[in-house]
Amino acid sequence: MEESKNYRHHHPLLLLDEEQLINNQSGVADCSKGGEKVSSPCFSCAEYCGFYLHKVCAAAPLEINHPFHRDHPLVLMQKPPYSFGTYICDFCDKTCEKFFYHCPDLDFHIICALFTFNIAENNLKELEHFVCQDPLVSTKNDDEELEEVRKCFGCWEPLANYTHFSPYCGFNLHKKCAELPLELSNICHCQHPLVLQFNSERLSCKICKVTQKRGFVYGCSSCKLVFHIECLSPPLDLAIEDESHQHTFTRLLRRVPYICDACGIEGIYNAYICCTCNIMVHKRCTSLPRIIKSKWHDHCIFHKYFLRNDFKSSSCSICHDEVNPKHGSYSCSYCNIKFHLRCVTEEKSLYSIVSLENEYEISNGGLEILSDKSVESATCVFERNDAGEATKIKHFKHLHDLKLSPFVGGYENNCNGCMLPISEPFYYCLECVFFLHKVCAELPKVKHVWHHPCQQPLSLISNKAFCCGMCWHVSNAFAYECCKCETKICLRCMIAFTPGARTCLKHEHPLFFYRDYKGRCNACSLPTWAAFCCKDCNFVLHRGCFSLPITAHHKCDVHLLSLTDHDDNSYSESHYCDICEESRDPNLWFYHCAACDTSVHVGCVLGQYPFFKLGSIYEDKDHPHPLTIVKKIYYYPKWDKCGKLCEDLALECSKSDCKYIIHWNCATSRSLQRWWEWLL
């Protein structure tokens, strides 16, 4: 145990080896400078105040001229120059708030910056005592964990693909990526040598067209191009046996431009051909899964190199751009929809590979779906009409049988599933006041969705008060709940975000959801970063306005108010709200009664809780009796707890002799209330 200078710490420091560190630590500790979990050799406070410092962090220089980033020096900083106070390391992809190396393009942990500097200098002494693990002899559990979670920090391919250093070294790294040459000459770019570097400009690979934000690439600064390590790696064989294709792919040694027959994207280098089928594909497309289960679609989808002309849809259900039937894509013949290969496989967490033997059989020259156990119906059908439509059903969330109504539209009740007015085919209860849109009744019990980050499925629930994780509206109607994080998503959002064309009664053309759209909503004029857009015109709706009820009730008018998208009255005095009596923009959507000439703001009509079922029972731990959800507006006494009049949603005791009443905001959890206040 060696005493050393204190490195600006107010107590003396002791240098610890591995055994001394174990004896000295009372629990897991982090380096006070670098932020990572402390490991030997390191300094520890002699007064046991919890201060630890890696030896490498203690000796970190104030500035590094890194061989992998020659544009700027890396400067040691104590705090990130960002308003959010944290940074993400451009090598290990982890967040930190401690000291770090910074330049205008890159941020690194101290240890990551120095480690990659040593790789560039071919100085890897600190890895010499770590065992290299061969993927062929790793345990099964290790393989599964490495395949699903751990990526090599150098090439960002799965760690289990090649021989790698033991993860206990703190760096997920293939042995081959630690031994890469600093420069190389390659046939893909003969004009200049390619230099190993960080992809600081976030350029896409010249071969595969994919942008790798972290790790190493080979690049040419003069020509502004980069190549992934894996794309430049020569194959072990000039021929590739592909399980998803019945023939062998052979590498074409000449450099020729081509369009990949598997994905439809242009290629220049590393083409592989199948002479039997006369197709040419990228290297990465030689191992495409033939069948996948995607969270973008309820059924399994198949990869095909070309599509027949009988497909009704000509556009991708994700990006909505045209899919060329002459190039490869994924499709569902049962639903007549298709997906670009790049769109449906872009995020690996959104799909899984399906075993051909388990789910499908070959018949009539093609693959047919036997069953899809992941799609479980929420209804039991008792009667059908001649067209095969279910006319009498039993929904697992309701006690009584439901009957399909012969009427469409004009009904003044709301759907108990989504809480929107009945304006399309619906089921009604034969014994009580219960209504369910046909589309809401047909939703499955369990559903996988693309827009939720957890890997777990979502289950259909009802009669729970919740805040929707997509639109942030509070409701107690039907919802889907994540089995892992318990996030709840209302049926309006579940239906709206189902891939494909959506109809809006206030617009003549179908609308499509674009995840990355930036613009302004036609209904409310607010900016949006994701929206439902029309491909034929410039009509845009953000997801909140897309789900607005077409009709609504309010005490200001005896009639139903209709959602209106423009005001033809040019008289400026009429452009005010009949509820709040403030001015109203005639170009924005509003609710209107033509008979009474009543015009009101959308927010004034719907209020704070437009999707709550009044009269429902609510269980409160602070009161012994069941509570009924009500709206109290006129002359109601103040509640003792907050001293305010009850002017909106409240909970009232269902016992007639008990006068207990509590505001909804006072009864709900603080987190739910803070959510709503933040939105306002």
Side-chain angles (χ1 to χ4, degrees):
M1 187 176 293
E2 175 187 342
E3 189 170 341
S4 179
K5 54 186 179 180
N6 62 6
Y7 294 102
R8 296 185 179 181
H9 185 61
H10 51 277
H11 299 141
L13 299 179
L14 301 175
L15 182 61
L16 308 179
D17 58 23
E18 185 174 359
E19 183 178 351
Q20 291 167 338
L21 177 61
I22 295 173
N23 296 332
N24 184 273
Q25 271 185 286
S26 57
V28 178
D30 294 333
C31 173
S32 299
K33 191 172 183 180
E36 298 86 1
K37 181 182 176 182
V38 72
S39 59
S40 63
C42 70
F43 292 105
S44 171
C45 178
E47 301 293 331
Y48 301 103
C49 71
F51 181 86
Y52 289 91
L53 184 64
H54 282 130
K55 186 178 180 181
V56 66
C57 293
L62 296 178
E63 187 175 289
I64 298 177
N65 291 310
H66 204 296
F68 290 168
H69 184 64
R70 302 178 183 183
D71 296 337
H72 314 98
L74 301 179
V75 180
L76 186 63
M77 300 184 68
Q78 184 173 359
K79 293 182 180 180
Y82 313 117
S83 58
F84 41 85
T86 60
Y87 70 94
I88 298 177
C89 177
D90 283 294
F91 183 62
C92 69
D93 202 32
K94 295 178 182 177
T95 305
C96 190
E97 302 174 1
K98 304 284 186 178
F99 282 81
F100 71 110
Y101 280 102
H102 170 78
C103 87
D105 301 321
L106 298 167
D107 297 310
F108 296 102
H109 293 118
I110 294 175
I111 288 183
C112 292
L114 297 177
F115 178 75
T116 53
F117 184 85
N118 286 331
I119 289 179
E121 298 292 324
N122 199 23
N123 179 19
L124 295 174
K125 291 182 179 179
E126 60 181 278
L127 288 177
E128 288 179 356
H129 62 285
F130 286 102
V131 178
C132 282
Q133 297 183 358
D134 193 317
L136 299 178
V137 297
S138 299
T139 64
K140 183 178 180 182
N141 290 337
D142 286 343
D143 281 344
E144 291 176 357
E145 183 183 4
L146 290 173
E147 180 67 29
E148 295 177 4
V149 180
R150 294 176 180 165
K151 305 283 186 180
C152 170
F153 292 162
C155 62
W156 283 95
E157 291 294 319
L159 197 60
N161 283 6
Y162 305 99
T163 299
H164 52 272
F165 291 102
S166 167
Y168 295 109
C169 69
F171 295 99
N172 297 342
L173 198 65
H174 294 136
K175 187 174 184 292
K176 71 178 184 67
C177 292
E179 299 170 347
L180 292 169
L182 188 59
E183 290 188 3
L184 59 80
S185 298
N186 192 281
I187 192 174
C188 295
H189 188 64
C190 304
Q191 297 91 326
H192 309 104
L194 299 177
V195 180
L196 191 63
Q197 58 189 257
F198 299 119
N199 191 10
S200 57
E201 296 186 48
R202 308 293 193 264
L203 300 174
S204 61
C205 173
K206 192 68 176 176
I207 294 178
C208 70
K209 308 298 182 182
V210 175
T211 302
Q212 177 184 298
K213 296 181 180 179
R214 315 277 184 227
F216 305 145
V217 293
Y218 277 103
C220 176
S221 300
S222 303
C223 302
K224 294 289 183 183
L225 54 82
V226 298
F227 299 88
H228 292 156
I229 295 169
E230 281 294 288
C231 293
L232 285 180
S233 299
L236 297 176
D237 212 329
L238 292 180
I240 292 181
E241 294 285 348
D242 177 26
E243 294 180 0
S244 65
H245 188 69
Q246 59 267 43
H247 309 126
T248 300
F249 282 104
T250 305
R251 186 182 179 188
L252 184 65
L253 296 179
R254 293 187 63 85
R255 175 180 167 180
V256 293
Y258 64 97
I259 301 296
C260 175
D261 289 302
C263 67
I265 299 176
E266 182 185 6
I268 300 176
Y269 313 94
N270 289 5
Y272 285 80
I273 59 174
C274 173
C275 298
T276 305
C277 302
N278 194 26
I279 58 175
M280 184 179 293
V281 300
H282 297 121
K283 177 184 176 182
R284 69 174 185 274
C285 293
T286 59
S287 57
L288 287 174
R290 196 172 186 183
I291 309 166
I292 63 173
K293 182 69 178 68
S294 171
K295 291 187 178 182
W296 285 94
H297 191 58
D298 288 335
H299 304 129
C300 293
I301 54 178
F302 298 76
H303 178 261
K304 297 179 180 178
Y305 285 96
F306 65 91
L307 294 173
R308 300 188 303 271
N309 294 329
D310 56 357
F311 262 82
K312 296 179 181 178
S313 172
S314 62
S315 61
C316 171
S317 293
I318 299 176
C319 72
H320 315 301
D321 292 336
E322 185 178 359
V323 176
N324 191 330
K326 296 180 181 179
H327 298 146
S329 61
Y330 280 95
S331 62
C332 174
S333 56
Y334 180 77
C335 300
N336 258 314
I337 63 172
K338 48 191 175 183
F339 303 86
H340 285 129
L341 184 144
R342 65 178 183 274
C343 293
V344 79
T345 60
E346 182 180 14
E347 298 179 51
K348 292 186 178 180
S349 61
L350 295 184
Y351 73 92
S352 58
I353 299 174
V354 176
S355 169
L356 181 66
E357 292 80 8
N358 292 342
E359 300 290 340
Y360 297 85
E361 66 177 6
I362 299 177
S363 62
N364 300 324
L367 293 167
E368 295 184 354
I369 299 177
L370 287 176
S371 64
D372 196 338
K373 298 177 182 178
S374 64
V375 182
E376 185 179 0
S377 176
T379 61
C380 179
V381 179
F382 297 137
E383 295 178 5
R384 294 184 182 273
N385 56 22
D386 294 339
E389 194 174 34
T391 55
K392 187 177 181 181
I393 64 171
K394 175 72 171 63
H395 195 279
F396 84 111
K397 286 295 181 182
H398 190 64
L399 295 174
H400 311 130
D401 295 345
L402 303 177
K403 192 82 172 178
L404 183 65
S405 172
F407 307 106
V408 177
Y411 211 80
E412 297 185 8
N413 284 288
N414 289 347
C415 169
N416 286 66
C418 65
M419 289 305 295
L420 292 175
I422 298 294
S423 58
E424 54 188 66
F426 65 95
Y427 291 97
Y428 65 95
C429 182
L430 301 171
E431 302 182 38
C432 65
V433 182
F434 182 88
F435 302 90
L436 206 58
H437 282 132
K438 187 173 182 289
V439 66
C440 294
E442 292 173 347
L443 289 171
K445 287 183 180 180
V446 178
K447 193 171 178 66
H448 290 81
V449 293
W450 62 268
H451 47 74
H452 186 61
C454 291
Q455 301 297 312
Q456 301 299 318
L458 279 67
S459 301
L460 189 63
I461 62 169
S462 64
N463 297 323
K464 285 185 180 181
F466 66 93
C467 179
C468 175
M470 296 289 290
C471 67
W472 307 298
H473 277 298
V474 180
S475 179
N476 60 344
F478 285 15
Y480 277 93
E481 182 180 51
C482 177
C483 302
K484 182 178 181 181
C485 68
E486 297 185 352
T487 296
K488 296 158 182 76
I489 301 175
C490 68
L491 259 60
R492 298 179 304 281
C493 291
M494 291 295 292
I495 295 172
F497 288 96
T498 301
R502 308 260 72 84
T503 57
C504 174
L505 296 181
K506 308 309 297 180
H507 191 65
E508 59 197 17
H509 306 135
L511 302 181
F512 299 88
F513 184 71
Y514 289 84
R515 292 184 288 172
D516 301 320
Y517 180 85
K518 293 182 180 180
R520 289 193 174 271
C521 174
N522 283 58
C524 65
S525 191
L526 293 176
T528 177
W529 288 268
F532 292 90
C533 307
C534 178
K535 296 170 68 174
D536 300 317
C537 58
N538 294 324
F539 185 79
V540 177
L541 287 180
H542 75 249
R543 56 194 185 191
C545 292
F546 178 82
S547 298
L548 287 174
I550 299 300
T551 58
H553 293 278
H554 196 271
K555 63 174 184 175
C556 69
D557 201 292
V558 294
H559 306 109
L560 271 176
L561 299 171
S562 299
L563 186 62
T564 307
D565 56 358
H566 65 279
D567 194 342
D568 293 329
N569 192 340
S570 59
Y571 185 50
S572 61
E573 292 296 323
S574 68
H575 299 157
Y576 66 90
C577 173
D578 287 303
I579 296 178
C580 69
E581 299 183 351
E582 294 186 3
S583 63
R584 178 178 53 80
D585 189 336
N587 297 315
L588 303 184
W589 287 15
F590 62 100
Y591 282 97
H592 181 68
C593 173
C596 305
D597 196 26
T598 302
S599 299
V600 290
H601 290 129
V602 170
C604 293
V605 172
L606 299 181
Q608 192 171 346
Y609 305 105
F611 304 115
F612 238 100
K613 290 188 291 183
L614 299 180
S616 301
I617 300 299
Y618 183 86
E619 298 290 341
D620 190 356
K621 296 179 181 179
D622 296 330
H623 190 69
H625 308 139
L627 302 176
T628 305
I629 300 174
V630 296
K631 269 197 175 183
K632 294 293 182 180
I633 300 175
Y634 296 110
Y635 310 111
Y636 212 84
K638 296 179 180 179
W639 185 55
D640 293 336
K641 186 173 181 180
C642 66
K644 296 179 181 179
L645 290 173
C646 187
E647 297 180 348
D648 202 347
L649 207 64
L651 299 171
E652 188 177 45
C653 185
S654 57
K655 300 287 184 180
S656 57
D657 55 343
C658 181
K659 302 299 182 182
Y660 180 83
I661 187 169
I662 180 174
H663 299 154
W664 169 256
N665 282 346
C666 295
T668 51
S669 64
R670 292 180 180 178
S671 60
L672 194 64
Q673 191 172 351
R674 281 199 300 267
W675 225 159
W676 183 256
E677 288 172 353
W678 176 81
L679 288 170
L680 294 180

